[in-house]
Amino acid sequence: MSLLEVKNLRVRFDTRRGPVQAVEHVSLRVERGELVALVGESGSGKSVSALALLSLLPRPPAVVETGEAWFEGRNLLALGERELRRVRGAQIALVPQDPNTALHPLYTIGDQIVEALRLHRELSYAAARELAAQALAEVGVPAPRERLDAYPHELSGGLRQRAMIAMAIALEPKLLIADEPTTALDVTVQAQILKLLARLRRERDLGVLLITHDLGLVAQYADRVGVMYSGAIVESGPTRELFRAPAHPYTRGLLASARSLDGPQGAKLESIGGLPPDPLAPPPGCAFAARCAFAVEACTRARPPSLPPGGLRALASSGVDVDIAAERRVACFEHERVLARAGDLA
Ligand SMILES: Nc1ncnc2c1ncn2[C@@H]1O[C@H](COP(=O)(O)OP(=O)(O)O)[C@@H](O)[C@H]1O
Ligand SMILES: [Mg+2]
């Protein structure tokens, strides 16, 4: 059994201008000790997916239309608020993209970590404070004991981000969902955080769902990756395979633009020409078709299903999806042509 298995998540926002399908088709899983990355342009539905799993979206306007999220034998999307509160933090920790949703401005960093610890575990104040200081030290906060008495606004963006990560790992969760946790950090600290996560994966069997823009981090640390575009995971698979031979034109575009960039940071995500479709008026076909060099007429007519590479032909001949548990999936009618050109990316 996977640590986390998300099936067919769909989330809509009912806005004043009309319904917005923010997440249309997200299925993913994270095993114990595994790091799965979710990448994609801003607005593709990464944060909404993460927040939906923990029922942290404001409802309304959010509506979770369909989906299951199995964690340790329980469907998170069917849990009541009381049960969820026990899961959040203690079993699944979230490092949200927006630090303001995680850190209270009126309490010191130390008191916030201590409170979270004591809410879920029987610890004296002094023992909890000691654990909080240790957690801050682990994420590389200098002078951690003094920092415990700081208020969030007294810390730099980078230190605040590290404090959030410290708070998340202090509770020793089984799953960490980290939404762009290293964006405000310099490269050295980024590496330090990712190395810490690698150690926690080994020592505690921690599963990590890492949302990031940084393909360099993905290449170096992720076991598997899901690529999101316009609310859907358009391609997923083991990192090395997907980087070596991307099957979706969007993934291909991401990798090509990352590789064309030089500089010490290397693979930062650059946007591809054109814009994603207006979420209020999505096209009937593939959401990427208008920007896609591989698009054919069929792409503007129907949404391509997410299948193992080559699965479309199998589907056409036998009518069944051959391998529903496939590691590698792609949602593109023309992926065989894309795969055939994998060589000219290198
Ligand atoms: N509260 C909201 N009301 C309406 N639309 C929203 C809300 N939050 C997010 N969205 C929409 O959902 C889509 C996905 O957003 P998000 O998950 O934050 O993207 P990402 O994290 O990939 O950058 C976007 O089109 C965004 O505008
Ligand atoms: Mg986001």
Side-chain angles (χ1 to χ4, degrees):
M1 193 175 45
S2 301
L3 179 61
L4 174 73
E5 185 158 5
V6 180
K7 293 183 197 162
N8 219 359
L9 183 65
R10 276 174 75 86
V11 183
R12 178 186 86 218
F13 287 98
D14 287 328
T15 74
R16 250 171 300 160
R17 296 176 54 216
V20 165
Q21 197 73 52
V23 173
E24 182 180 305
H25 184 96
V26 164
S27 299
L28 58 87
R29 72 187 159 79
V30 181
E31 305 293 340
R32 286 169 187 77
E34 189 184 39
L35 192 147
V36 176
L38 205 52
V39 296
E41 289 171 310
S42 149
S44 56
K46 305 181 299 296
S47 296
V48 169
S49 300
L51 293 170
L53 295 180
L54 293 171
S55 297
L56 289 171
L57 290 170
R59 286 188 281 187
V63 180
V64 177
E65 294 178 308
T66 64
E68 293 167 26
W70 292 93
F71 175 78
E72 305 243 293
R74 291 191 294 176
N75 179 4
L76 298 173
L77 299 183
L79 292 184
E81 186 53 34
R82 268 186 59 188
E83 292 168 293
L84 266 172
R85 245 180 306 205
R86 264 190 299 242
V87 172
R88 278 189 220 124
Q91 295 182 58
I92 305 181
L94 173 72
V95 179
Q97 188 170 0
D98 176 7
N100 300 323
T101 62
L103 295 174
H104 195 292
L106 299 181
Y107 296 93
T108 64
I109 299 293
D111 281 348
Q112 295 187 55
I113 304 180
V114 163
E115 188 187 285
L117 281 167
R118 296 183 74 196
L119 193 68
H120 293 282
R121 276 201 253 154
E122 290 204 6
L123 287 168
S124 69
Y125 181 84
R129 206 175 143 86
E130 182 53 36
L131 285 179
Q134 273 174 25
L136 286 179
E138 276 198 303
V139 296
V141 169
R145 253 162 257 279
E146 286 148 48
R147 288 296 175 8
L148 286 177
D149 296 319
Y151 289 90
H153 74 268
E154 295 176 309
L155 301 180
S156 68
L159 281 179
R160 250 194 322 260
Q161 207 155 28
R162 281 188 265 177
M164 289 198 303
I165 298 168
M167 196 145 103
I169 61 166
L171 281 160
E172 306 196 5
K174 293 173 180 155
L175 175 68
L176 176 69
I177 302 177
D179 194 350
E180 310 206 11
T182 60
T183 38
L185 306 177
D186 68 51
V187 187
T188 322
V189 180
Q190 272 187 19
Q192 184 182 7
I193 300 285
L194 268 300
K195 280 187 191 127
L196 168 68
L197 294 184
R199 180 162 63 76
L200 296 179
R201 291 168 59 193
R202 271 198 317 274
E203 291 176 358
R204 298 185 196 162
D205 234 7
L206 173 73
V208 183
L209 180 62
L210 176 71
I211 296 172
T212 180
H213 268 177
D214 192 326
L215 288 180
L217 288 184
V218 176
Q220 208 175 345
Y221 295 99
D223 301 302
R224 286 185 300 113
V225 53
V227 179
M228 275 198 87
Y229 183 78
S230 195
I233 297 192
V234 293
E235 179 167 11
S236 59
T239 308
R240 206 167 304 164
E241 243 180 82
L242 194 133
F243 274 52
R244 194 184 52 219
H248 196 286
Y250 177 64
T251 314
R252 187 184 157 89
L254 287 184
L255 292 174
S257 46
R259 278 170 199 169
S260 69
L261 285 177
D262 308 305
Q265 296 223 22
K268 269 273 157 70
L269 213 109
E270 273 277 299
S271 63
I272 295 164
L275 289 171
D278 176 359
L280 286 161
C286 171
F288 191 60
R291 305 168 76 180
C292 181
F294 291 85
V296 295
E297 211 256 317
C299 306
T300 61
R301 272 187 273 124
R303 283 273 145 118
S306 170
L307 293 170
L312 282 168
R313 263 184 289 125
L315 189 67
S317 62
S318 66
V320 291
D321 177 351
V322 272
D323 186 4
I324 53 162
E327 278 276 273
R328 186 84 195 270
R329 298 182 83 92
V330 58
C332 172
F333 291 125
E334 291 296 307
H335 68 267
E336 294 192 350
R337 266 171 63 220
V338 183
L339 277 171
R341 299 231 345 242
D344 55 45
L345 262 182

